[in-house]
Amino acid sequence: MNNKEAIVVKSSHSWNLLFFAWVLATSGTLISLFFSEIVQLPVCVLCWYQRIALYPLVIMLPLALFPFDIKVIRYVSPLVILGWLVAFFHVLVVAGVIPEAAQPCVQGVPCSEVQFSILGFINIPVMALFTFSLIGFLLYLSKKQFTQDTY
């Protein structure tokens, strides 16, 4: 096995990590659509911003998988960071840390209202924060693995 074949085999770990990040983004998209379209939960402004950051990942990540292109991390990272920041802000709004005067959605569908909860503390903003955190972590690991394998 020559050096180029070894790099291809080792970079399959990076491919797997990117694939799992795509699975998470796709699952998050489908779950958000399920809650809004099937269950008919109202969507607040912060949820829309999180969706704006999440939905393009469903298209961008598989385009980088076939053929494998690690540079996609450079393009999707701003979306993941933006989605994480909005989700973190949303968690703080729901927790009551952000005062009502600073909340972006006081009319219509309030962002501080919990529409769905599992176990009493896992709500939609927490699930979004966890999803963006996990996607960001997988992107970091993929880039790190690829860098270690090629140098």
Side-chain angles (χ1 to χ4, degrees):
M1 182 184 299
N2 64 24
N3 191 26
K4 187 173 183 177
E5 290 173 350
I7 290 172
V8 169
V9 170
K10 289 180 180 179
S11 69
S12 69
H13 299 296
S14 294
W15 189 93
N16 291 337
L17 292 168
L18 272 183
F19 178 77
F20 190 58
W22 172 74
V23 168
L24 280 172
T26 303
S27 299
T29 298
L30 293 174
I31 289 168
S32 73
L33 289 172
F34 173 78
F35 280 133
S36 65
E37 301 302 320
I38 307 297
V39 180
Q40 297 290 316
L41 290 179
V43 182
C44 72
V45 173
L46 291 176
C47 290
W48 276 116
Y49 291 144
Q50 292 168 55
R51 287 178 177 203
I52 289 168
L54 182 65
Y55 288 5
L57 299 178
V58 176
I59 304 296
M60 295 171 76
L61 288 173
L63 289 176
L65 292 172
F66 306 105
F68 181 64
D69 182 12
I70 197 68
K71 289 183 268 185
V72 74
I73 294 172
R74 179 182 310 161
Y75 307 118
V76 299
S77 292
L79 289 171
V80 174
I81 292 167
L82 175 69
W84 188 90
L85 289 171
V86 173
F88 183 68
F89 182 77
H90 199 175
V91 168
L92 294 177
V93 166
V94 170
V97 175
I98 305 296
E100 190 171 327
Q103 294 179 10
C105 41
V106 290
Q107 294 180 352
V109 180
C111 294
S112 59
E113 185 176 313
V114 176
Q115 302 287 337
F116 176 80
S117 180
I118 301 173
L119 302 175
F121 68 95
I122 302 174
N123 51 36
I124 293 174
V126 170
M127 287 189 278
L129 182 65
F130 180 72
T131 300
F132 280 114
S133 297
L134 199 50
I135 290 171
F137 183 67
L138 289 170
L139 293 176
Y140 169 76
L141 288 179
S142 180
K143 179 69 173 180
K144 184 177 178 184
Q145 180 73 35
F146 185 81
T147 305
Q148 288 176 350
D149 291 344
T150 55
Y151 296 110

